[in-house]
């Protein structure tokens, strides 16, 4: 190729691209304003503590010291359908990212076509082909390269990348929520077991009392009213056992559902061995780094980035779209001519697309993208405020439950001592068995309430762990 030819080609390319600068300036002037109306909440206004918070292990539930719980969490993470759906959304987002990346590079296609057609005798085709019926064939390799001069595709890639990160963070948040649900349901199972144990011990005591009352009646020392009172108390304890056993079945069924298993799974769940008072490394105030600990907050923030990139895509749609297009191949009339070197064809040059009038579609797209950014920001703000409240509520409830449990233990001891003294009076003939009914009912209720408070305290510690992010590490997602 001579220098004159190269110079001519360069001048030709510059001539083709010359209108681009003017077109871009005109398009830039036509872009409407698109400022959002929602701003991210300021973390300084949330009143978070500056105290350093303890580090929470990723497998924090092991602090309860129950190997069966460890197995149940592993089964749930491996088989829960909701977690599978979150993982599928990650794959979907990654596919979108790959598609956008592919649009930013060269694309080559091969087209081949052969038609048997009558050629017009009154058109551009010369004799002897004009007016004849022949094979018309085309074989061409086509090149299309989006130059992305104004960054539209780059913004689309950035948005897709942020969406992938959001989906990955959603998986981490779903995994944490799932493990938390398993642990809290397992605590409910332990609660039901404790209630069943209390009811069983009470049944044994009241069955013995009923036997003693019957002995006293045979010895003319008691009345049928005493027997009726003892029978009523025994029925109440048996009712408490039935309720506790049903609660055990329901808790095991819930664990099976969380693990994505069937009706045979509850049979594999044995007695719990939880250390309900296990000390988890939890703060007494809401730490300042709360938002950096939570995967769901990170996902919401990534969606703001994706929406902002989407708005950039909508803004840059007003600018010209410039592609480099080329082809090389063969075109001929007649099968034999298609393989001739003289049938070769080649072409290359820029392709420019500039929106002139679209009846307001681009403006509507930009307004929609701006609204999507506002929506993502509002969702982020809602999650931030909710996260702070969850953590603050959990801290307050833990403190209140600790005080409540101390008072409840005093109540249990008081009713137990009253029952012991009343039993002495009855055995001495100073009181009737009827006088023990009210205290015995209250004692059973107090022991059940004590078991409830122990389980509630453990669940609130779990809730605080979840509110603090459950030991999540952002580097696990960003690596």
């Amino acid at each position: 190729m001579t220098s004159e030819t190269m110079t001519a080609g360069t001048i030709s390319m510059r001539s083709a691209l010359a209108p681009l600068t003017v077109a871009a300036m005109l398009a830039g002037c036509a872009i409407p304003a698109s400022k959002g109306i929602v701003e991210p909440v300021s973390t300084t206004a949330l009143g978070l503590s500056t105290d350093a918070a303890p580090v929470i292990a990723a497998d924090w539930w092991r602090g309860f010291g129950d190997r069966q719980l460890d197995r149940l969490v592993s089964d749930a993470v491996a088989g829960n359908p909701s977690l599978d759906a979150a993982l599928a959304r990650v794959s979907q987002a990654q596919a979108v990212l790959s598609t956008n990346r592919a649009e930013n590079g060269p694309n080559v296609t091969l087209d081949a076509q052969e038609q048997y057609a009558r050629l017009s005798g009154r058109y551009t085709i010369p004799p002897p082909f004009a007016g004849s019926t022949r094979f018309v064939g085309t074989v061409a390799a086509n090149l299309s390269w989006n130059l992305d001069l104004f960054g539209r595709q780059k913004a689309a890639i950035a948005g897709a990348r942020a969406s992938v990160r959001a989906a990955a963070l959603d998986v981490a948040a779903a995994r944490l929520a799932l493990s938390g649900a398993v642990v809290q349901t397992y605590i409910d199972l332990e609660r039901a077991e404790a209630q069943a144990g209390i009811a069983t011990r009470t049944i044994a005591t009241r069955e013995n009392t009923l036997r003693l009352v019957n002995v006293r009646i045979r010895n003319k020392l008691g009345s049928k009213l005493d027997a009726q009172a003892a029978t009523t108390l025994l029925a109440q304890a048996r009712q408490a056992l039935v309720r506790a056993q049903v609660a055990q079945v329901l808790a095991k069924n819930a664990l099976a559902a969380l693990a994505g298993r069937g009706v045979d799974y509850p049979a594999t769940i044995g007695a719990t061995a939880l250390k309900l008072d296990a000390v988890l490394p939890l703060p007494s105030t809401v730490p300042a780094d709360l938002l950096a600990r939570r995967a769901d907050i990170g996902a919401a923030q990534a969606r703001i980035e994706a929406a902002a990139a989407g708005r950039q895509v909508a803004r840059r749609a007003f600018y010209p779209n410039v592609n480099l297009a080329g082809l090389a191949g063969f075109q001929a009339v007649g099968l034999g001519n298609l393989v001739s070197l003289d049938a070769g064809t080649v072409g290359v040059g820029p392709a420019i697309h500039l929106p002139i009038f679209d009846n307001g579609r681009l403006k509507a797209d930009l307004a929609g993208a701006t609204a999507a950014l506002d929506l993502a920001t509002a969702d982020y703000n809602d999650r931030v405020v909710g996260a702070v409240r969850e953590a603050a509520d959990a801290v307050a409830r833990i403190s209140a439950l600790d005080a409540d449990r101390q008072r409840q233990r005093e109540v249990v001891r008081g009713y137990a001592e009253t029952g012991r003294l009343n039993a002495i009076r009855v055995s001495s003939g100073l009181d009737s068995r009827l006088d023990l009914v009210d205290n015995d009912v209250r004692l059973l209720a107090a022991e059940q309430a004590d078991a409830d408070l122990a389980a509630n305290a453990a669940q609130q510690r779990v809730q605080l762990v979840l509110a603090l992010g459950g030991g999540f590490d952002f580097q696990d997602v960003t690596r």
Side-chain angles (χ1 to χ4, degrees), residues 97 100 153-165 302 305-306 309-310:
L97 175 59
N100 281 281
Q153 199 59 35
K154 181 180 179 181
I157 292 173
R161 187 180 293 114
S163 294
V164 171
R165 188 165 65 255
E305 297 173 13

Side-chain angles (χ1 to χ4, degrees), residues 99 171 235 237 297 303 310 340 356 373 393 413 424 429 442 451 453 457:
T99 300
V171 171
I297 299 297
R303 287 192 171 88
S340 171
I356 301 298
L373 177 57
D393 285 351
R413 287 194 295 269
I424 293 174
R442 292 177 182 272
L453 286 173

Side-chain angles (χ1 to χ4, degrees), residues 70-87:
D70 301 340
R71 174 179 68 84
L72 293 173
V73 172
S74 298
D75 289 348
V77 170
N80 187 272
S82 63
L83 191 57
D84 291 340
L87 290 170

Side-chain angles (χ1 to χ4, degrees), residues 97-155:
L97 175 59
S98 298
T99 300
N100 281 281
R101 283 173 172 168
E103 292 290 336
N104 201 39
N107 289 271
V108 178
T109 61
L110 177 65
D111 295 323
Q113 182 179 3
E114 189 74 30
Q115 285 186 335
Y116 189 68
R118 183 185 184 280
L119 306 178
S120 173
R122 303 294 182 181
Y123 195 50
T124 59
I125 302 172
F129 302 107
S132 64
T133 302
R134 298 175 183 265
F135 281 99
V136 179
T138 301
V139 177
N142 304 288
L143 168 68
S144 177
W145 194 330
N146 184 357
L147 300 181
D148 196 29
L149 297 182
F150 300 100
R152 181 183 181 186
Q153 199 59 35
K154 181 180 179 181

Side-chain angles (χ1 to χ4, degrees), residues 7 51 119 147 171 333 336 363 372 434:
T7 303
D51 296 338
L119 306 178
L147 300 181
V171 171
V333 177
K363 290 183 179 180
L434 290 172

